[in-house]
Amino acid sequence: MSHDHDDRPQLTAAQAAAVLTPPPGRTGGDLVVESLQGLGATTVFGLPGQHALGMFDALRRSSLRYVGLRVENNAGFAADAYGRITGEVAPLLLSTGPGALTSLAALQEAAAASAPVLAIASQVPTAGLGGGRHGYLHELRDQQASVRDIVKSVHTVRAASQIPSAIAAAWESALTAPHGPVWVEIPQDVLLAETTLPVVSAMDATPRELYPRPELTIAAAHLLSSAERPVIIAGGGVVRSDASGKLRALAERIDAPVVTTFGGKGAFPWEHPLSLRSWLEDRHTTDFLEDADVLLVVGSGLGELSSNYHTFRPRGRVIQIEADAGKLESNHPALGIHSDAREALSDLLEAVERREDPGAAERVRTVLEKVRVRIDAQELTLEQQVLAAVRQALPDGSPSFWDMTILSYWAWSAFDARRPNTMHSAQGAGGLGYAFPAAIGAAAADPTTPVLAVSGDGGAMYSLAELATARQYDAPLTWLIVDDGGYGILREYMTDAYGEATGTELARPDFVALAESFGVPAVRTTPDSLATDLAKALAAPGPSVVVLPALLRMFEPTHL
């Protein structure tokens, strides 16, 4: 049996000599770092811990850039943002036990948002594995059990020779649609032991492409071409697969209105005549979607937020394109197409017939006008003023990261992201503390572009330690903290439900003085001066903080 190796990387004479005489002093940690370099990584995130020191020592012998945060969960958020912005795998180096466990909320957000994070965690020495109670520092009976329900895949290493293959398999898993976090686990003694294995060279971990089945494309194209009132819901999968251009081309080809989910912000131009924008938490939009005779859902599972809290009941045929097979028809019967959004839209574009509907744009204007009238009747001028000021100050190409706070809830529906893959929030898993460490990750991905983070005072308290990180790396980011004295959205929820709130009022620091104590310039602003102060902060080099004392309110829900 012969094998054709022509398409595989060939070693030069110098490389071959290096293979035969690898440099001395290398360890399992070096194999980790060399594997990451061989796969194309340039930046890693993390936090050192005793069991993981073999990896961190190897970093100084590599060309990898290390971005270290102060809390593992924040390091996970930073890696998540790096993966979202670049579309590349973001390595996250963690220590055993408390270090690993502290990252779990960030990994849940990465899983919900399909961010390709490669977590590499140390373990107790090999002799302590297997569930026995040996009393090692950081020992857990089964560390993997804590992450298995969160990540896409778990990869276990028990010997140095397994390291490159495990990391390559995890890398491929993270980048196979749907993207997501993966977990590699390596014992302390394997990381520390010297190795005579050759230096890891270029590695191949090409993700599998996920194409639609042709008979499903033909069926979907027929439904769309012959529809009377087709509508498109575009989710985060359109953004992640870089398919916004194909989405627009398809919408224009069949004259179909488009609404973007909160995870799909920027997937379709906000001011386009066919744009329903993102008003999914609005009954007028829900009614319009229910009236469609054919509804194309691309890259969304139509979960709680995307379905107006499961009040959406489509009456027409649903076509659902989704890379996560578990989300296909999970909420509504549909013609389910298991595919990457870009590939499916590309095939649909070739298969659909041009369909003209001069009234589509007018129907869109009617819905948006109904939404505007509903919001205007609630006297929410301050909230709209603040959101408009943020939009005015933020450069079109700048990414923004939003915590779970009232201004973010407004932004999901009402903020024009301007460009795809520039607006990100923690709405996937819904945990606090995402925005600021995520902005650090985005700044690491592109240090030439200013980044915005938006938090409430409650969420900001999760991330204050990272002011030191932002200053240490001179990250070009601005942190807008809307200070309303507590967990504002929970205050609203509890007051509406029970007449009064419990546990929502917070003592908090002077955020301006605190930021300045880290050497980070800060300013206290007002709604009237917000646009000016925020633009000035974003234009300045390095990190900055803008504090806005304001009590914002949410618009009335329509799903109750």
Side-chain angles (χ1 to χ4, degrees):
M1 180 182 292
S2 63
H3 297 277
D4 184 1
H5 297 292
D6 290 345
D7 58 344
R8 298 185 184 181
Q10 302 296 311
L11 296 180
T12 65
Q15 289 171 324
V19 165
L20 297 174
T21 56
R26 292 164 57 252
T27 65
D30 287 278
L31 293 173
V32 171
V33 168
E34 291 165 7
S35 299
L36 293 174
Q37 287 178 294
L39 289 163
T42 59
T43 303
V44 300
F45 299 87
L47 200 69
Q50 181 175 329
H51 289 171
L53 293 182
M55 291 190 288
F56 283 83
D57 177 61
L59 280 176
R60 66 183 172 88
R61 293 188 287 277
S62 78
S63 61
L64 291 175
R65 176 180 53 156
Y66 169 64
V67 180
L69 286 91
R70 303 302 193 267
V71 184
E72 286 87 355
N73 199 49
N74 293 337
F77 285 144
D80 164 299
Y82 185 94
R84 293 194 204 193
I85 291 293
T86 64
E88 301 168 1
V89 173
L92 172 64
L93 307 185
L94 302 165
S95 192
T96 318
L101 297 180
T102 303
S103 73
L104 295 188
L107 293 177
Q108 184 190 3
E109 178 57 42
S114 298
V117 175
L118 168 54
I120 305 176
S122 58
Q123 250 289 19
V124 297
T126 309
L129 298 176
R133 307 302 284 160
H134 302 281
Y136 284 100
L137 180 70
H138 306 324
E139 182 179 272
L140 294 165
R141 282 176 304 203
D142 186 359
Q143 184 170 278
Q144 292 179 18
S146 298
V147 302
R148 201 175 293 277
D149 185 49
I150 300 173
V151 298
K152 279 186 69 178
S153 56
V154 173
H155 307 262
T156 304
V157 168
R158 291 293 177 264
S161 59
Q162 299 171 1
I163 289 174
S165 294
I167 291 177
W171 187 282
E172 180 179 327
S173 175
L175 281 184
T176 297
H179 295 175
V182 293
W183 186 266
V184 176
E185 206 166 84
I186 310 174
Q188 178 190 27
D189 53 329
V190 176
L191 289 171
L192 292 176
E194 288 203 20
T195 181
T196 57
L197 288 170
V199 173
V200 181
S201 59
M203 299 174 68
D204 182 22
T206 305
R208 300 180 304 281
E209 299 292 344
L210 188 57
Y211 297 107
R213 296 195 345 247
E215 74 276 14
L216 297 178
T217 299
I218 292 171
H222 174 72
L223 286 171
L224 291 168
S225 300
S226 56
E228 292 184 7
R229 298 177 309 281
V231 181
I232 300 172
I233 297 178
V238 176
V239 175
R240 287 187 293 275
S241 64
D242 192 22
S244 58
K246 295 187 181 300
L247 170 70
R248 178 174 181 170
L250 178 65
E252 292 175 346
R253 186 168 178 79
I254 62 173
D255 265 347
V258 178
V259 62
T260 58
T261 70
F262 304 153
K265 297 287 288 186
F268 195 73
W270 191 256
E271 300 291 348
H272 193 285
L274 292 171
S275 175
L276 285 162
R277 304 184 177 177
S278 301
W279 283 101
L280 286 166
E281 284 191 49
D282 182 276
R283 191 65 224 177
H284 298 304
T285 302
T286 306
D287 290 342
F288 186 85
L289 295 174
E290 288 181 347
D291 187 54
D293 62 336
V294 178
L295 183 69
L296 174 62
V297 183
V298 190
S300 171
L302 289 185
E304 185 176 44
L305 297 178
S306 302
S307 62
N308 204 353
Y309 298 91
H310 295 301
T311 61
F312 170 54
R313 299 284 184 270
R315 295 192 294 270
R317 288 292 303 272
V318 177
I319 304 164
Q320 186 184 15
I321 297 167
E322 176 56 56
D324 186 342
K327 291 181 180 178
L328 279 178
E329 298 191 74
S330 60
N331 287 307
H332 301 282
L335 174 66
I337 302 178
H338 185 212
S339 172
D340 177 73
R342 182 179 177 85
E343 303 298 343
L345 287 171
S346 181
D347 287 2
L348 271 179
L349 260 175
E350 295 183 6
V352 295
E353 298 174 10
R354 182 171 295 282
R355 177 191 167 280
E356 294 185 2
D357 183 357
E362 179 58 34
R363 292 197 299 276
V364 167
R365 283 194 296 273
T366 300
V367 174
L368 292 178
E369 177 62 16
K370 288 179 179 178
V371 174
R372 187 192 65 77
V373 170
R374 183 178 80 84
I375 297 299
D376 286 352
Q378 298 173 41
E379 297 182 356
L380 296 164
T381 306
L382 171 63
E383 291 75 8
Q384 296 183 75
Q385 176 190 357
V386 170
L387 199 62
V390 175
R391 180 61 277 172
Q392 179 184 335
L394 186 67
D396 286 358
S398 284
S400 60
F401 294 85
W402 303 71
D403 219 328
M404 300 297 285
T405 187
I406 287 178
L407 187 59
S408 301
Y409 288 29
W410 269 93
W412 293 347
S413 294
F415 191 76
D416 176 5
R418 300 268 170 91
R419 295 182 185 176
N421 203 30
T422 56
M423 181 180 172
H424 301 275
S425 75
Q427 55 94 18
L432 279 173
Y434 173 78
F436 189 54
I440 292 173
D446 181 6
T448 67
T449 303
V451 183
L452 174 67
V454 180
S455 300
D457 56 287
M461 296 295 285
Y462 279 63
S463 311
L464 291 177
E466 306 310 338
L467 283 166
T469 306
R471 180 73 282 166
Q472 180 171 342
Y473 294 102
D474 203 28
L477 57 86
T478 295
W479 192 9
L480 172 61
I481 301 174
V482 182
D483 184 359
D484 66 3
Y487 300 122
I489 193 67
L490 299 178
R491 180 194 290 139
E492 275 205 16
Y493 289 162
M494 293 190 77
T495 302
D496 290 346
Y498 309 114
E500 60 182 294
T502 304
T504 60
E505 306 315 297
L506 301 174
R508 66 266 189 219
D510 178 339
F511 288 109
V512 171
L514 184 68
E516 289 175 342
S517 75
F518 283 92
V520 175
V523 62
R524 186 173 286 100
T525 190
T526 67
D528 290 336
S529 57
L530 175 60
T532 301
D533 289 339
L534 198 55
K536 183 178 178 181
L538 285 161
S544 56
V545 170
V546 176
V547 180
L548 173 67
L551 183 61
L552 305 180
R553 294 186 298 129
M554 274 303 294
F555 48 82
E556 291 292 331
T558 65
H559 65 278
L560 300 176

